[in-house]
Structures are given as C-alpha cells and as structure tokens.
Amino acid sequence: MNERDTLKVNNKGHLEIGGMDAVEIAKIYGTPVYVFDEAHIRNMMRVYKHTIEKFYKSNGLVVYASKAFSCMAVYAIAQSEGIGVDVVSGGELYTAIKAGFDSSKIYMHGNNKLPHELKLAIDNKIGTIVLDSYREVDMVDELAQQNGIIQNVLIRINPGVEAHTHEFIQTARTDSKFGFSVSDGAAQSITEYVLSKKNLRLRGFHCHIGSQIFETQSFIIAARKVMDFIAIIKKETGFESDTLNIGGGFGIWYNDEDPKLKLSDYENCLKSLINAVKEKAQEHGLNEPFLVIEPGRSIIGEAGITLYTVGAIKDIKGIKKYVAVDGGMFDNPRYALYQSKYTVMLANRASEPCTEKVSVAGKCCESGDLIAVDVSLPKAESGDIMAVLSTGAYNYSMASNYNRNFIPAAILVKDGKAEYIVKPQTYDDIIRNDVVPEYLK
Ligand code: LLP
C-alpha cells in the first residue's frame, strides 16, 4: 500500500474505493459502472502542480489531457485545482466550455482539426492551439483575422524519440502521423511559415513521445532535443520560443508487471525533466521556457475501477475457463486494441485467496471481446461482483455502443459518498438519432 492507494479491503472482506464499499456501489448503481476516486485524481493533479511550483518557480502549467477521461465533472475538478486541460476534438472542447472551464487554459491538439472545431475554439477564445499541419496554420490565421484577434499557437514537432511502449501509442517516431520532424527540416520550415502569419503568435513548441512510459530518460532526451531545436531556431530566425510543452505519457500500474509508483516518483520524474530543461537553457543561453506538461493517464487511470457482475461461466475442461461479465469491449476496448493487461478482483470476496486462472470475457458477439486473459481469481460464481482496476483512463473515453449495449454510467466517490458524473444510458438513448425513412415504414 502506498499513499496513492485508493483501494482497501474492508472488514466485510469487500473491496472499498474512496471510503465506499464496492459491493454497496454495485447494489445502488448497478453494473457495469465506472467508479472514480476524487481524492486520487486531485492528489495526482497536485503533485505535478506543486513540483512545478517548487522546482521551477511556478513557471509552467499542468494540463490534464482530457482524452483520458472527458466529462463535465472532470473539467470542474481540473478547474478547481487551478490546472489547464488539453482537448482533441470539438466534443471535448464543448464539454469543457459547458463545464465553465477557463478557456485561456485550454490547449487544443489533433493532427486533423476540422474547420468547425477550430471555429468553436477561436470563438470561445481558447488559450492555445497546437498546430499540426500547413492547412491548419492557414485556417487558424484566417479565423483569427476574422475575429480580429492574434491567436497563441504552438507547433507540434517530432524529435524522433522512441519510447518503450506499445507501437500504437508511440507518437514521436520519425514515421509518426503527428508533428513535424526535426531531422528532415520540416519543423524549421513550418516555424518560418507560422512566423510569417500576422494573426498567429507563436509561443513555442510541443512534443509528445507516447503513452504509458516509465523511463524518465525518454522524457529527458525529448526535452533536450526540443531545447536544442529552440536554440537552432533562435540562431536561424531570431525567434526565441517562450514555451516548451513536453506532452504527457507518464506510466501507471495496471498489473504486477508494472511498477507501482508513489507520488514522490512522479515528482522526481518531473524534477529530472525540469533540471534537463534548465541545463539546456543555460547551455544555449536561452531563457527558461514556460513548461507545460500534459498528463492524462497518470492523473485519472489508477483513480478508476470498473465494477461488473459475473454471469455465464464456461469451463472448457483442460483448455480454458471463461468468466463472462455484463460489460465488455464496449466499455473497455483496450484488450482488443492493445492486448492490455489488468488486475481483476472479486469485490465481494476480496480477501479470499486466488485459486484459479481464468479469462474474463465480455458479452459482445465477438471472440476477441475480452477484458483480461489468464488472470488469477478465487473460484468465481454467477452473481459475484468483479472489479477491474486501473480503468480510469481510456476506458469510458473509448467506450462505444457496440452491439447496442449501454455505455456504463460513471460515479465519483469521495469520503464514502458517491454521485453520478455520467448518468446511465437508456434504450431511448440508443435509438435517439435513428430515423426510419417514410418509404420503409
Ligand atoms: N498530450 C498529447 C498530445 C497526447 O497525444 C496524449 C495522449 C497525451 C498528452 C496524454 O498522454 P498520457 O499522459 O495519457 O499517456 N488510447 C491509448 C492511449 C492514447 C494516448 C494518446 N495521446 C490507450 O488506451 O492506452
């Protein structure tokens, strides 16, 4: 147990999250349900914020990457912690605005932002747009001109760092669809182009090397490379970047193959990154840039669990045992996409020893609809409440209505009390946008 542990086993032998009995939660709210521990979310936001205050004289901003989990309540939490948010679509931006989020602290990302998304951003006076194509440079410049403003922008560059993570979540390799590569001169050319635009104010550069990364060294190498690039640009064009946005990507614990990091580990990682930036600023005679970090997974991932009810159990003797739950790839597609591993428990029998290896199957009509493969559990029975841990990031946000299943509700727990933050869907929600043309009736 460390200070970030949101989970306990209580004296009934039940799993407890944020001071609430998970079995009780399942009874009140039904399953499947996403459960988030507010204290855990705030602790993570604070550790990054305090590290920048303490070791970088508050010269920076923590920006929660809301693609990890976006709903109005999470923006309200971020706002109350005084941090920024990153959005990657009109939908995330709209949610943040409707939650009353201070738009000057919003960063907008995306490799192909749509005209209507950029318009929504600029009409709402978004703080910073992170440019990722020539087309976008022109569109943002034009919209800013129409609105009579000068828009703050960053350019996403690609420093060519390979981080050790799943290839689909690596984003700064030279062949990535994201960013302008430093090595082939593309990053410098786009910089010159942006500098020529009257309605854009270039603040600096952004890079994001990938996700679920544990090697601090990868972040340091990326930061050094971007600082070297800033120095080159200053020499070649006279423009000195005042912002360095190093993206997110800090890893979390999913199962025992992952380290379980303490708050101080996240602090140390960020501190090392800060030191690397300071050293490079000194080496090149640059000002220390305003430092932006964009953690998503590490803020929300371990704060969330998903509760399911065990249904069918299929024992293929000597081959495999499936325990099916009332959810599946529609609430958590990460096994199907990345063969992700999770820790699974029986919330109503949390102190019982694990006696068998099973695979947890969803209810979709698809063999690959699995939540976890070969995990240890006590002998599960229909009706048991299953908890899958560390599902706070990229579960709800990647959920779908596949097979016309409901996207589960989400609740927030704090000091033993729970509140809906996303209400359950109904069958009417499922057919809400369906239309049967007259001639088919
Ligand atoms: N900033 C940018 C520009 C990003 O693209 C991302 C994530 C982040 C920040 C936040 O990274 P984090 O701190 O959450 O690692 N669906 C995948 C993850 C995709 C991450 C995409 N970009 C998954 O389920 O693992």
Side-chain angles (χ1 to χ4, degrees), residues 28 30 48 63 68 91 155 195 203 278 348-349 393 397 418 424:
I28 301 169
Y48 289 127
V63 165
I155 297 173
L195 287 171
R203 307 308 304 247
K278 283 184 179 167
N348 54 326
R349 293 158 55 197
S397 64

Side-chain angles (χ1 to χ4, degrees), residues 86-161:
D86 117 27
V87 298
V88 286
S89 68
E92 286 182 0
L93 175 59
Y94 186 79
T95 312
I97 291 166
K98 283 289 171 185
F101 201 84
D102 172 1
S103 63
S104 70
K105 283 192 185 157
I106 303 182
Y107 284 68
M108 183 167 211
H109 284 283
N111 67 308
N112 184 28
K113 302 175 196 74
L114 306 176
H116 71 83
E117 294 176 319
L118 289 172
K119 185 163 179 351
L120 184 69
I122 291 172
D123 286 349
N124 283 283
K125 303 189 172 57
I126 192 172
T128 310
I129 298 179
V130 185
L131 299 168
D132 203 350
S133 71
Y134 277 90
R135 175 182 141 86
E136 206 171 275
V137 175
D138 294 340
M139 286 196 291
V140 174
D141 184 52
E142 211 176 296
L143 284 164
Q145 196 182 351
Q146 280 164 17
N147 284 23
I149 59 152
I150 308 232
Q151 177 63 49
N152 282 328
V153 295
L154 299 177
I155 297 173
R156 180 160 185 166
I157 65 167
N158 187 339
V161 175

Side-chain angles (χ1 to χ4, degrees), residues 65 67 86 109 156 169 206 208 210-212 247-250 294-297 334 338 394 398:
K67 58 183 78 67
D86 117 27
H109 284 283
R156 180 160 185 166
I169 49 179
H206 160 82
H208 171 79
S211 202
Q212 185 61 1
F250 312 104
E294 298 176 332
R297 188 192 310 268
R334 296 189 73 258
Y338 321 116
Y394 304 111
M398 293 203 293

Side-chain angles (χ1 to χ4, degrees), residues 4 45 128 139-140 208 240 273-274 288 334 348 434-435:
R4 297 174 60 241
M45 290 176 173
T128 310
M139 286 196 291
V140 174
H208 171 79
E240 181 168 348
L273 186 66
I274 287 172
E288 287 175 6
R334 296 189 73 258
N348 54 326
D434 288 13
V435 178

